[in-house]
Amino acid sequence: MELSRRDTILKLIVEYFIKNAQPVGSQTLIQEYGLEYSSATIRNEMQSLEELGYLEKTHTSSGRVPSSEGYKYYIEHLRHKDLDEEIKYSLQTILQEKNKSIEDVLKESCEILAHMTQLASVVLGPESDSESLVSIQIIPLSENSATAVFVTDKGYVENRTFVLGDSVNMQDVQKCIELLNNRLKGTAISKLPEKMESIKPLLSDYVKQHDIIYQAILQTFLKLASDRINTYGRSSLFEQPEYSKDADKLKKMLALLDNPECLRSIIADGSSGDVEIKIGNITDELTDASVIRAKLSVPGHDLGTIALVGPKRMDYDKVVSALEYIAEQLDKYFKEEKGDDSEDVRKE
Amino acid sequence: MELSRRDTILKLIVEYFIKNAQPVGSQTLIQEYGLEYSSATIRNEMQSLEELGYLEKTHTSSGRVPSSEGYKYYIEHLRHKDLDEEIKYSLQTILQEKNKSIEDVLKESCEILAHMTQLASVVLGPESDSESLVSIQIIPLSENSATAVFVTDKGYVENRTFVLGDSVNMQDVQKCIELLNNRLKGTAISKLPEKMESIKPLLSDYVKQHDIIYQAILQTFLKLASDRINTYGRSSLFEQPEYSKDADKLKKMLALLDNPECLRSIIADGSSGDVEIKIGNITDELTDASVIRAKLSVPGHDLGTIALVGPKRMDYDKVVSALEYIAEQLDKYFKEEKGDDSEDVRKE
DNA sequence: AGTTAGCACTCGAAATAAAATAGTGCTAAG
DNA sequence: CTTAGCACTATTTTATTTCGAGTGCTAACT
């Protein structure tokens, strides 16, 4: 489909700006892309586009820069939608590996993405009520220590070491773990801390140093139930002129990436399924950053969320295409692999 | 002990510069610390100190700045050596918690340190030949997946998920793990990959899809044997004027922190025991950074290494005192806790 | 009616010049 | 040995100029 002159100009401005991080003037557009219109015509179109809210000026006599609305329009109507071959190939390799936990697949995909897009990426574990405890194992390490391993149905593992001595002994820990295994298998990890509360009396009848052990296990459960969030490619952000030229902005951005709660609140909300995009005004502090987010799931199963974070000026086409590709491939993979078992999966 | 006039002046210059990141002039010293000597006298001393190699000038008519030698002299002869109460208290809380793996204790200590000193901190796991495999457990997650958990004697846990299907079945994985458990218990994690090689033939007689499983487990072993390295408080570095005013320097620093191999090579070498300090010329790129490192161990047992990384101008007194305190407390803790079992420990 | 050449005008960035500041080193006197 | 006094130096700050990329508008052109 042929684009209108106006759309062509908007598209080129967005793409030039994404690439060069410089406001775009009418002259530039002609030189760079050999547009057939005169600079005055282009200026007129630019003026209209500005009135429509798609472009902005940094000062009275500067070139134009896309507004948040401009990016949004670009993403919806103008982007190419074809995924960079290099990214596709890299992701393919990772997504097709069997015997890897989803955790690891998402992690590695995000590393790739961060590297290829020069943005920071974030992986947020699945919601804690769609993940349940499968088993607790106790493994003696030496005469005086043992580690307890907690495994969830998503293949996530958490562990806690007990140093035995006057205050704690092996039998007690073992009894305790046995009891918990019986009582807690299949419990959603978000429910573990409260269920633990109800088991407390039982424990105290049964085990000598119940309080120390109880506290330790409760802590582990809290950790298990809290969001697992990891970031990658922080240092990629240096390559972005927005940040390499403005230390303060970079600082705020990295502060966000270092703050799990805040990051979570930005990335977690929103519905499952499609790729979602927030342009500008990510937080009160970060008014010119963007977040692109994909919540990955197979029907009824939350697999976690991945997101890319960076300056408002980012290659939306590339990022959106890549995230869509990941979502699609994971979907395909689960349909294939599970096959007829899928019934069982959906029941949970 | 009274310090000589020269030492007093050097001490004050180092401390002023550490605090304010500004070259120190004779006038400043008088105003700030009420020194009894005239500015000319101080200038003369400064000149001598410069000739001795302890001070430097940034340009002909600037104030003085400590040289690497100057810092070294300060650390050896002039620092206060008393640990900040706040740091001490925070560390105490962490170091006294029982039932926590060393891994976690070091991690949390480093987080505290990074925060309190405004530096980045690094934890490097113990050397891989002083850590051995204790057990492998296989835990079914659902009809078509299972996770294998690998535990070391230091309480470190690694895991790998197997998706069952056409290519892999439960019996095979189970048989495999059983075999490995029998053969590999007690093996140093650095030796696992090569020992695995020798087991390969056995496996192929025994298990159908040995190759896929073999590869997966080998990968896990490699991961287990590779250095575990984590960094904390990267963003603290922004508070340092060295980095907030020089994006390029910051970039290089963060690149180092993002590069596990390079970081390892800087932090890992050197002997066990004392706190070691490298001032300036950390890498070819980072000529004005410093690293302070403490390899923590109980006799015969490497517990890992922690390090603080930052600009050459850092509060050496605070950092060294804190690291010494951690080393000392861990030592005490292990002596207490292990008690008469210490014989057994030393044998390994 | 839509397009374009021409031109005055705007604002920021880069270059230049001037002033202010914080320091040194040296000399000569106390 | 210490220090007051002073000439000298380099950086930082501030002010001034110049330059250029870009706009908006008007009037002519197709």
Side-chain angles (χ1 to χ4, degrees), chain A residues 99 101 134 137 139-141 144 151-152 155 157 159 161 163-164 212 235 238-239 247 251 254 258 337 341, chain B residues 99 101 134 137 139-141 144 151-152 155 157 159-161 163-164 212 235 238-239 244 251 254 258 337 341:
Chain A
N99 64 42
S101 64
V134 161
Q137 307 270 313
I139 296 148
L141 297 178
N144 47 37
V151 185
T152 76
V157 174
N159 72 297
T161 304
V163 178
L164 311 171
I212 296 176
S235 56
F238 279 88
E239 306 304 326
K251 187 173 161 181
L254 292 179
D258 262 353
E337 191 60 53
D341 292 338
Chain B
N99 64 42
S101 64
V134 160
Q137 307 271 314
I139 296 149
L141 297 179
N144 48 37
V151 184
T152 76
V157 174
N159 73 298
R160 181 155 211 103
T161 303
V163 178
L164 312 171
I212 295 176
S235 56
F238 279 88
E239 307 303 326
S244 64
K251 186 174 163 182
L254 292 179
D258 262 353
E337 191 61 52
D341 293 338

Side-chain angles (χ1 to χ4, degrees), chain B residues 7-38:
Chain B
D7 280 358
T8 310
I9 289 175
L10 178 54
K11 177 160 178 273
L12 293 180
I13 290 176
V14 171
E15 286 171 1
Y16 185 91
F17 184 67
I18 284 178
K19 201 166 144 206
N20 303 94
Q22 292 296 329
V24 193
S26 46
Q27 208 52 244
T28 317
L29 231 39
I30 294 171
Q31 277 167 26
E32 211 68 20
Y33 299 101
L35 276 193
E36 302 280 74
Y37 322 106
S38 79

Side-chain angles (χ1 to χ4, degrees), chain B residues 5-6 9 40-50:
Chain B
R5 185 174 72 189
R6 186 164 293 177
I9 289 175
T41 309
I42 297 179
R43 277 204 294 282
N44 287 337
E45 289 288 19
M46 282 172 154
Q47 216 155 14
S48 315
L49 283 165
E50 187 174 357

Side-chain angles (χ1 to χ4, degrees), chain A residues 17-193:
Chain A
F17 185 67
I18 283 177
K19 204 168 142 206
N20 302 94
Q22 292 295 330
V24 193
S26 49
Q27 208 51 244
T28 318
L29 232 38
I30 294 170
Q31 277 167 26
E32 211 68 21
Y33 299 100
L35 276 193
E36 302 279 75
Y37 322 105
S38 78
S39 68
T41 310
I42 297 179
R43 276 204 294 284
N44 288 337
E45 289 288 19
M46 282 173 155
Q47 216 155 16
S48 317
L49 284 165
E50 187 173 355
E51 276 155 28
L52 289 168
Y54 294 142
L55 292 180
E56 282 170 355
K57 275 191 290 193
T58 59
H59 59 89
T60 343
S61 73
S62 76
R64 299 307 204 293
V65 154
S67 68
S68 297
E69 284 304 311
Y71 283 123
K72 210 175 286 178
Y73 186 86
Y74 171 79
I75 295 166
E76 275 165 31
H77 303 105
L78 309 174
R79 75 190 187 88
H80 295 101
K81 297 192 188 176
D82 48 86
L83 180 55
D84 183 307
E85 279 302 313
E86 204 185 335
I87 295 189
K88 188 171 175 181
Y89 182 77
S90 310
L91 287 177
Q92 231 163 26
T93 320
I94 290 167
L95 292 166
Q96 279 170 2
E97 263 187 274
K98 311 284 170 181
N99 64 42
K100 251 193 192 158
S101 64
I102 304 144
E103 200 88 17
D104 284 346
V105 170
L106 295 189
K107 183 192 140 157
E108 286 175 31
S109 304
C110 269
E111 278 173 355
I112 294 283
L113 279 183
H115 184 245
M116 296 267 187
T117 59
Q118 307 271 53
L119 298 169
S121 59
V122 184
V123 179
L124 179 64
E127 277 170 17
S128 63
D129 49 1
S130 77
E131 190 168 7
S132 62
L133 185 70
V134 161
S135 161
I136 312 175
Q137 307 270 313
I138 180 92
I139 296 148
L141 297 178
S142 68
E143 283 79 1
N144 47 37
S145 61
T147 206
V149 176
F150 303 75
V151 185
T152 76
D153 63 340
K154 298 264 161 69
Y156 184 78
V157 174
E158 189 74 67
N159 72 297
R160 181 155 211 104
T161 304
F162 292 87
V163 178
L164 311 171
D166 304 342
S167 47
V168 184
N169 75 64
M170 192 60 170
Q171 278 75 40
D172 281 352
V173 177
Q174 231 148 11
K175 268 197 266 179
C176 203
I177 299 295
E178 212 172 291
L179 178 71
L180 293 177
N181 253 320
N182 289 334
R183 296 264 163 179
L184 297 177
K185 260 186 194 173
T187 308
I189 58 172
S190 58
K191 297 277 186 308
L192 285 174

